[in-house]
């Protein structure tokens, strides 16, 4: 489905569900050089359980027009504009990797628009190695290879998938390859430069769930534990045999965890 945000054609998936003012809403924010397709399973699940689903393609990503936004703070402001356009008055905010930083910033700035918060593959701060940044800035395929390989656990690197005929690592590579030049660098640089992450994190007062892969090489599980400790009452779920690409490595476990926060924010 398309709408217009700040003068640009913007795509969001509604999980093939109906949108209604009488239903609660869930907003999904993808990671660096990704798009709405990473949320296919949870988007469809919540849509079928009578939630309004908004899985956005951020500007310059997927099917959305516009230039990629260069900072996490500006992405949070863009998200506020998108929610205003779509008349989303309050939502469960779900973000992965870069999207988790956007969710942190948004929720700290706009607690009245945040019903609850789920942070997947998060780290505050979220540093990016110089090797990866420089390769991405040069639009070298090595940047895609590094991002894709480091995003998967050792188990996932064998290529298997619970879906017959689908290879996790090749699917991840193809998704990154679909992005335009400079998008990966733009997003990684925004994560690396988000120096106020911990300040925003300490200002969150919404019910929060953090999901971490125990074999995550992109965002350290140690950092995820620290983020959980910084938010009063936050709950941490750690997934075995799982890396950064948790939505494909452990899709059912991720969905099970999300239902505990989205369906019932008073469950912990």
């Amino acid at each position: 489905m398309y709408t217009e945000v700040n003068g640009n054609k913007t795509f969001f998936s509604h999980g093939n569900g109906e949108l209604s003012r009488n239903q609660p809403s869930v907003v999904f924010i993808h990671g660096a050089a990704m798009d709405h397709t990473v949320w296919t399973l949870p988007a469809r699940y919540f849509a079928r359980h009578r939630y309004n689903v908004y899985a956005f393609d951020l500007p310059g990503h997927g099917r959305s027009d516009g230039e990629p936004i260069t900072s996490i703070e500006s992405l949070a402001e863009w998200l506020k504009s998108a929610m205003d356009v779509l008349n989303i008055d309050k939502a469960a905010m779900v973000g992965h990797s870069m999207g988790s930083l956007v969710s942190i910033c948004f929720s700290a700035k706009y607690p009245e628009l945040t019903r609850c918060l789920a942070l997947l593959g998060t780290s505050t701060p979220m540093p990016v190695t110089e090797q990866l940044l420089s390769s991405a800035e040069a639009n070298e395929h090595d940047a895609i290879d590094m991002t894709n390989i480091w995003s998967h656990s050792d188990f996932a690197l064998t290529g298997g998938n619970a879906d017959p005929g689908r290879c996790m690592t090749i699917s991840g590579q193809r998704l990154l390859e679909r992005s335009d030049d400079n998008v990966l660098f733009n997003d990684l640089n925004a994560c690396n430069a988000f120096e106020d992450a911990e300040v925003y994190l300490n200002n969150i007062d919404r019910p929060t769930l953090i999901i971490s892969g125990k074999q995550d090489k992109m965002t350290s599980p140690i950092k995820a534990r620290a983020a959980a400790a910084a938010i009063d009452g936050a709950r941490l779920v750690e997934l075995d045999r799982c890396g950064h690409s948790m939505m494909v490595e452990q899709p059912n476990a991720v969905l099970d965890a999300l239902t505990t926060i989205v369906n019932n924010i008073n469950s912990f």
Side-chain angles (χ1 to χ4, degrees), residues 17-34:
E18 295 184 359
L19 302 178
S20 170
R21 295 290 295 173
N22 298 321
Q23 298 177 163
S25 298
V26 187
V27 170
F28 293 95
I29 309 106
H30 62 74
M34 300 290 172

Side-chain angles (χ1 to χ4, degrees), residues 20-247:
S20 170
R21 295 290 295 173
N22 298 321
Q23 298 177 163
S25 298
V26 187
V27 170
F28 293 95
I29 309 106
H30 62 74
M34 300 290 172
D35 62 28
H36 71 279
T37 59
V38 301
W39 301 113
T40 298
L41 176 62
R44 289 180 176 176
Y45 173 88
F46 287 112
R48 281 155 178 73
H49 286 77
R50 298 184 179 179
Y51 284 84
N52 297 323
V53 167
Y54 303 91
F56 289 103
D57 282 348
L58 296 174
H61 297 70
R63 302 178 189 176
S64 290
D65 293 342
E67 292 297 318
I69 295 174
T70 59
S71 74
I72 300 299
E73 292 91 342
S74 296
L75 279 166
E77 292 305 316
W78 178 91
L79 184 58
K80 170 65 164 57
S81 297
M83 290 178 67
D84 287 346
V85 167
L86 293 165
N87 296 313
I88 308 171
D89 54 6
K90 184 175 285 190
M93 311 301 297
V94 181
H96 174 249
S97 195
M98 180 184 75
S100 75
L101 298 184
V102 177
S103 300
I104 288 169
C105 186
F106 178 90
S107 300
K109 286 186 172 185
Y110 303 106
E112 72 281 2
L113 299 179
T114 306
R115 184 169 68 85
C116 58
L117 187 61
L119 307 173
L120 287 64
T122 197
S123 171
T124 54
M126 193 176 286
V128 181
T129 67
E130 179 58 35
Q131 180 186 13
L132 178 53
L133 272 179
S134 60
S135 182
E137 186 173 21
N139 290 306
E140 296 172 347
H141 199 277
D142 285 353
I144 291 175
D145 293 337
M146 284 185 278
T147 300
N148 188 44
I149 292 171
W150 294 344
S151 290
H152 291 85
S153 67
D154 292 342
F155 170 73
L157 289 175
T158 63
N161 192 292
D163 296 332
R166 182 181 180 190
C167 175
M168 282 185 275
T169 51
I170 295 301
S171 297
Q173 179 177 315
R174 292 293 182 263
L175 179 56
L176 290 168
E177 287 173 342
R178 288 207 303 264
S179 64
D180 291 337
D181 284 352
N182 303 317
V183 170
L184 181 58
F185 170 73
N186 175 85
D187 294 354
L188 294 175
N189 194 53
C191 293
N192 192 59
F194 189 43
E195 297 179 350
D196 294 330
E198 291 176 300
V199 175
Y200 285 116
L201 195 73
N202 292 328
N203 289 330
I204 290 176
D205 63 358
R206 301 289 90 183
T208 301
L209 171 71
I210 294 177
I211 308 177
S212 174
K214 288 185 178 180
Q215 287 77 47
D216 193 332
K217 304 179 187 75
M218 293 290 282
T219 53
S220 166
I222 295 173
K223 293 291 188 180
R225 292 171 199 146
I231 302 174
D232 187 32
R235 179 186 173 205
L236 174 66
V237 172
E238 295 183 303
L239 304 178
D240 289 322
R241 292 209 307 180
C242 186
H244 196 61
S245 296
M246 58 184 65
M247 288 92 80

